[in-house]
Amino acid sequence: MITGHDEKEIALKAINLGAYDYYQKPIEIDELKTIVRRALYIQQLELENEFLSRQLQSEKQFEEIIGDSPEMHAVFDVMRRVSSTDVPVLIYGESGTGKELVARAIHFQSSRKDQPFVPINCGAIPENLLESELFGHEKGSFTGAYVQKKGKFELANQGTAFLDEIGELSPALQVKLLRFLQEKEIERVGGKEPVKVDVRILAATNKNLEKEIETENFRSDLYYRLSVISIALPPLRERGDDILLLANRFLYKYAKEYDKQKLTFDALATRKMQDYEWHGNVRELENRIRRAVIMSNNRLITCEDLGLKDDIPTKQASLSQAIDDAQRRYVKIALQQAKGNISRASRELGISRVKVYELVEKYKIVVDRYK
Ligand SMILES: Nc1ncnc2c1ncn2[C@@H]1O[C@H](COP(=O)(O)OP(=O)(O)OP(=O)(O)O)[C@@H](O)[C@H]1O
Ligand SMILES: [Mg+2]
């Protein structure tokens, strides 16, 4: 707050209203710079503090999975329920949404946590090798099988097997997997005796398996076995403030790693991250921030550093467009902060509830009613 008055009362009022400092004219640029620098420093500390305490809170539940949005709380809820059981869980989600992270977390919260967690990527292993990968083989069972080899299911005995990209499994292997799930025993390729194994199965896919069933690419009996419980991981763009929560966590992590500790996002970058589609989801966000930290030689990370186009305030946009854009954003943010409570948002925005409803309608804003 800069003013020509020198009354203490005004100073106090300004500070009560949230001003960091009170500065009297005439302006000394150097002095002002110092004040602004300190204010920024304090703000940074506050943000870091808030972020760390949030992180602590979420880490108490599921280590490493960052998220405070209602969508992610719903996921944590299901995870908590299934962790203590042995039921198969099918995890859905676009690429990079954290399917493997969730599978690991379920395993490490379960009673099997001291036993192996064995991930198997069904899409990455050539079809002719996958059977022996999963079930093992006996010595001499095929050309190249010089020694007996244990399969992944045997290695996962007592623990958890995570079948990633389950939608890629061939029809023949789908049958074998189904048999394994029913009998709880495996037969090594070229083996004569079935071997009992006790494995919990978690599976993941980014395909719509119900569609795959319709087109007869996936067996429905296997699907029902696997999806006793399913978890749908929301795409990052639908996680509201989690985008910034994650962004700050990654910034913190990489700034430390690359020894550039005073970095923050500039306002436009912050906004752009919230509006961006993130088709590569959390993985894309993490990679872009990592790159930005390496590339940035400034204290502020910009859209350019992140490789995001800073095309928001274009000069060509008409004033009414700009107003619409700002209105939509403000209403959206107010509603998020008010956790979907229209009255609270209307007070925050200084407009009537009717007007809020009107704007929600006009901009087709999705109102999340938080718990
Ligand atoms: N909620 C989250 N909090 C922190 N890190 C996350 C979160 N979700 C994902 N990640 C990170 O993003 C990356 C991608 O996650 P993961 O490999 O689990 O995704 P995926 O859904 O299995 O992706 P794909 O379909 O491409 O295999 C990992 O580095 C993971 O640690
Ligand atoms: Mg994965």
Side-chain angles (χ1 to χ4, degrees), residues 29 48 171 190 201 305 334:
I29 287 293
E48 229 165 67
I201 301 286
D305 297 327

Side-chain angles (χ1 to χ4, degrees), residues 91 99-100 103 117-121 160-164 202-204:
I91 306 163
K99 297 185 289 295
E100 180 152 358
F117 174 86
V118 181
I120 305 155
N121 190 331
T160 305
F162 172 54
L163 296 167
D164 205 356
L202 303 176

Side-chain angles (χ1 to χ4, degrees), residues 65 72 82 103 129 147 182 184 221 241-242 261 273 278 288 301-302 332 334 341 348:
I65 306 180
M72 285 309 286
V82 297
L129 295 183
V147 288
Q182 285 164 342
K184 304 208 180 331
D221 44 9
D241 290 346
D242 277 3
Q261 310 222 0
M273 285 193 291
W278 298 115
R288 282 188 188 271
I301 291 186
T302 62
K332 200 172 150 191
N341 182 322
E348 205 55 47

Side-chain angles (χ1 to χ4, degrees), residues 10 48 50 58 63 102 118 201 205 214 224 239 285 298 301 336:
I10 296 180
E48 229 165 67
E50 187 192 316
S58 61
E63 230 178 312
V102 165
V118 181
I201 301 286
T205 181
E214 268 169 37
Y224 292 118
R239 294 189 202 175
L285 177 70
N298 198 317
I301 291 186
Q336 269 172 9

Side-chain angles (χ1 to χ4, degrees), residues 30 84 131 134 166 171:
D30 283 340
S84 54
E131 182 176 358
L134 293 177
I166 188 83

Side-chain angles (χ1 to χ4, degrees), residues 42 250 300 319:
I42 300 256
F250 294 138
L300 289 173
L319 179 60

